[in-house]
C-alpha cells in the first residue's frame, strides 16, 4: 500500500499511527515536492492528503483510509468506542473542526499576514479557541483514555496538538490537561516514530 502525503500532516500521521498499530506496512510517497504534488493531483480531484493507493483501489480522506485499513486487518477495535458513543463522535468532530480551522489560519498567515484581519479568518481563529477550550474541559472530565487501550479520538487529539505546537499555529500551552495528554502518549513508540519532520 502506498500512502501519499507528508510527514508534517496531522491527518497523514493519524493514518501512519493506525497502520503501524495494525501491522500494515505503508510506503510513504511525499507530496511535498513538485513531482509529489503532480502525482497527488492526478490521483484525487480535491488535491488533499492523505490518499491511499492499494493496487488499483484509491481511498481519499484519513477517516475513510483508517476504515479501509481496519477492514483490511479484520479489526475495528480502534473505533469501537466511537461507534458506541455519540459523545465520542462529537469529540472527534470538534477535534477535526479545530484542526481544519487552525490549518486555514496557518496557511493564510503563511501566504499573507495582512489578511488576518478578515472576518472569515477571525471566525476561524475564534472557532479554534472555542473548540480547544471545549476539548480541554472534556479532557478534564476524563473523555480521553490515558492508557495503552487508546483509540481513534486519542490519536486524533495528540496528532492535532503536536501539529499545532510544531507549526506554532495555536498556543496549546493554554490547555494544560491537553498538553499532559500529548506528553503521556508521545512516549509510546508509535507516536514517537511518527512525529512531524520537515
Amino acid at each position: 500500500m502506498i500512502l501519499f502525503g507528508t510527514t508534517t500532516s496531522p491527518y497523514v500521521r493519524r493514518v501512519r499511527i493506525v497502520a503501524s498499530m495494525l501491522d500494515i506496512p505503508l510506503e510513504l510517497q511525499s507530496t511535498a515536492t513538485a513531482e509529489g504534488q503532480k502525482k497527488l493531483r492526478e490521483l484525487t480531484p480535491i488535491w488533499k492528503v492523505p490518499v491511499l493507493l492499494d493496487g488499483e483501489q484509491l481511498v481519499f480522506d484519513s477517516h475513510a483510509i483508517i476504515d479501509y485499513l481496519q477492514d483490511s486487518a479484520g479489526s475495528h477495535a480502534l473505533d469501537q468506542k466511537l461507534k458506541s458513543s455519540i459523545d465520542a463522535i462529537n469529540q472527534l468532530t470538534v477535534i477535526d473542526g479545530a484542526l481544519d480551522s487552525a490549518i486555514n489560519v496557518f496557511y493564510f498567515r503563511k501566504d499573507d499576514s495582512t489578511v488576518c484581519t478578515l472576518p472569515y479568518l477571525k471566525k476561524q481563529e475564534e472557532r479554534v479557541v472555542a473548540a480547544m477550550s471545549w476539548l480541554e474541559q472534556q479532557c478534564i472530565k476524563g473523555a480521553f483514555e490515558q492508557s495503552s487501550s487508546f483509540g481513534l479520538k486519542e490519536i486524533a487529539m495528540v496528532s492535532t496538538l503536536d501539529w499545532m505546537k510544531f507549526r506554532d499555529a495555536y498556543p496549546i500551552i493554554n490547555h494544560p490537561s491537553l498538553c499532559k495528554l500529548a506528553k503521556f502518549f508521545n512516549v509510546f513508540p508509535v507516536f514517537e516514530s511518527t512525529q512531524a519532520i520537515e
Side-chain angles (χ1 to χ4, degrees), residues 1-7 9-20 24-32 36 39-40 43 48-55 57-66 68-69 194:
M1 294 185 193
I2 303 171
L3 183 67
F4 293 85
T6 64
T7 56
S9 164
Y11 289 111
V12 172
R13 186 181 183 205
R14 291 182 192 184
V15 172
R16 292 172 63 216
I17 289 170
V18 169
S20 180
I24 297 174
L26 293 179
E27 177 189 337
L28 182 63
Q29 286 283 323
S30 176
T31 57
K39 183 65 177 173
L40 179 70
L43 293 173
K48 287 175 67 176
V49 297
V51 172
L52 182 76
L53 178 61
D54 183 18
Q57 181 65 62
L58 278 171
V59 188
F60 308 145
D61 185 72
S62 61
H63 292 288
I65 294 169
I66 288 169
Y68 184 84
L69 293 176
T194 57

Side-chain angles (χ1 to χ4, degrees), residues 5 10 17 27 61 92 99 102 106 113 136-137 145 150 155 197:
I17 289 170
E27 177 189 337
D61 185 72
L92 185 57
L99 180 56
F106 171 76
S113 61
E136 171 76 2
Q137 290 307 307
E145 284 282 338
F150 58 87
I155 293 170
I197 54 169

Side-chain angles (χ1 to χ4, degrees), residues 148-187:
S148 58
S149 64
F150 58 87
L152 293 180
K153 68 179 177 168
E154 287 80 16
I155 293 170
M157 189 73 259
V158 173
S159 297
T160 295
L161 290 164
D162 286 349
W163 179 85
M164 288 176 167
K165 182 178 179 183
F166 176 74
R167 289 297 193 197
D168 195 22
Y170 178 79
I172 65 168
I173 197 167
N174 293 345
H175 308 289
S177 294
L178 291 174
C179 288
K180 185 178 174 188
L181 183 80
K183 186 176 179 182
F184 175 84
F185 281 110
N186 277 319
V187 299

Side-chain angles (χ1 to χ4, degrees), residues 88-102:
I89 293 169
N90 286 342
Q91 289 151 5
L92 185 57
T93 300
V94 174
I95 294 166
D96 288 348
L99 180 56
D100 288 342
S101 290

Side-chain angles (χ1 to χ4, degrees), residues 58-119:
L58 278 171
V59 188
F60 308 145
D61 185 72
S62 61
H63 292 288
I65 294 169
I66 288 169
D67 280 347
Y68 184 84
L69 293 176
Q70 290 184 107
D71 285 346
S72 297
S75 170
H76 279 263
L78 284 170
D79 63 4
Q80 218 52 298
K81 290 174 186 150
L82 286 180
K83 295 194 183 300
S84 64
S85 167
I86 194 68
D87 288 338
I89 293 169
N90 286 342
Q91 289 151 5
L92 185 57
T93 300
V94 174
I95 294 166
D96 288 348
L99 180 56
D100 288 342
S101 290
I103 288 170
N104 279 335
V105 173
F106 171 76
Y107 281 108
F108 271 103
R109 279 187 182 152
K110 186 177 173 184
D111 291 341
D112 181 0
S113 61
T114 63
V115 300
C116 291
T117 58
L118 294 174

